[in-house]
Amino acid sequence: MSREQQAVACARKAFETGRSKCLEHRIRQLKNLRRLFTERQQEILDAVKKDLNKSEVGTQLYETVGLEGEINLVIGKLKEWAAPRKVEKNLLTISDTVYIKPEPLGVVLIIGAWNYPWAVTIQPLIGAIAAGNAAVIKPSEVCVHTAKVMEDLLPLYIDKELYPVVSGGVPETQELLRQRSDHIFYTGNSMVGKLIMEAAAKHLTPVTLELGGKSPCYIDKDCDISIACRRVTWGKYTNCGQTCIAPDYILCEPSIQDRVIEEVKKSIKDFYTENPKTCPDYGRIINQRHFKRIMAMLDDSTVAAGGDNDESDCYIAPTVLRDVKPEAKVMQEEIFGPLLPILPVSGLDEAIKFINKREKPLALYVFTADDKVIKRMVDETSSGGLLANDCLVHYSVNSLPFGGVGNSGMGCYHGKFSFDQLSHLRGCLIKQLKMEGMNSMRYPPHTQEKLGWVRFFLLKNLDLGWMGQMALLATLAVMAAVVFKSYLL
């Protein structure tokens, strides 16, 4: 039995003991996980620094603080989320107990990504624990140091049988996918997402795919361009552009292109100094393979700012490209790096048409002072999420679902959405062995008279309070007796 088989088997055996279903156990695990981020913070920060050259404050700001907030929310709301949920009833079921009972799925396979290794691996784990599942955790092997820290530390804080960590690369991931899981949660690119779906189909395993794509950013000529460019610069170059919801490219009218370039350059200098290479808040490309991939995108575009690079240090300066054509190399795939192409368009109509001709993005950004422009973007486009006049921050709102649509992914998470995504929402109806007369209308022989009663009880919508329901229940009891008696005569 391979290590991967053992991990899945161990998690399933632990799940079958039933201990993960206990709310107290779930909360205890979440509290232990939260404790990890305070007690072992330095080890976490050091590993991310080695992998991505992120500053200590940056790692906390973009990764661990959000996880602590998510855990706090779940601990406070778990009892409410896990409780049976009352639903509306029709006249036929008014005397019955009808509710939705969230129940665990079983074993969840979580395949993490490298760009925000803690955030995108542990956030799904929080949801899996909250929903009462077991989980097999597969950190990205690309973040070598962080993967090792996860492998070493997670078993010291949370139940190592219920939540085993499996390290390794492609062969180990493929072996995990061959095992039967009850849900697969993958964060990464759409090409691998298709392979995940293919593997999941063999066991009819449901999937959540958090993918990416080219997230457009439209800047209206009548907005505050200085503020817009400052926010776009932050969203684009955070983590050296290696963010799945980073603005991938800018659409704007030719008349403001030069102003946009100058404002972005100014913000780059404000954020990362004259020399971003020496700035502690500016990261690095994850490895040389990705460095070469990104640099190849520059071949047929005009650099308006930046462009400096150092392959030995995996450094690419914050770069702006001007007058980019739709057929340019940089427009053929998600950039996932610090290149910001600007594509001139004639106005809002052309921008919407351009966006809709391409795959649905994970995020869509629009900067404008005109509410009508925002409304048109909301009504006439489709994307995983939409932000007006800012970038990235919707990820921090755990009352919003975070996820893609079409090529940018399926399923969503954060907050209660994680809990529901990793639960089976089981419909329950509890009936008593009484009022049999009410059932006569559904039993053969079928007649027009019975159909008339069924239509009345099923199609009549009544909004009644508690007193009204009691009165109606008494009336129905009398009617049931009358109906039942008429069928006996």
Side-chain angles (χ1 to χ4, degrees), residues 317-366:
T319 300
V320 183
L321 308 175
R322 66 173 300 133
D323 296 312
V324 174
K325 305 295 184 185
E327 59 272 16
K329 289 182 179 180
V330 75
M331 293 303 296
Q332 304 313 307
E333 63 177 88
E334 182 179 8
I335 298 168
F336 223 64
L339 312 182
L340 182 58
I342 301 177
L343 285 79
V345 292
S346 60
L348 179 61
D349 289 340
E350 187 181 349
I352 290 174
K353 190 179 296 185
F354 186 91
I355 292 166
N356 288 338
K357 280 184 177 179
R358 284 150 180 80
E359 296 284 5
K360 294 179 180 180
L362 185 55
L364 191 157
Y365 302 108
V366 52

Side-chain angles (χ1 to χ4, degrees), residues 67 127 133 261 301:
L67 293 174
N133 298 294
I261 292 170
S301 293

Side-chain angles (χ1 to χ4, degrees), residues 446-472:
H446 301 307
T447 65
Q448 286 297 320
E449 182 183 4
K450 290 182 179 180
L451 178 61
W453 281 108
V454 170
R455 290 182 63 85
F456 173 79
F457 282 109
L458 283 182
L459 303 183
K460 197 74 172 177
N461 291 320
L462 296 177
D463 187 11
L464 301 172
W466 182 81
M467 290 295 291
Q469 289 186 22
M470 292 301 101
L472 181 60

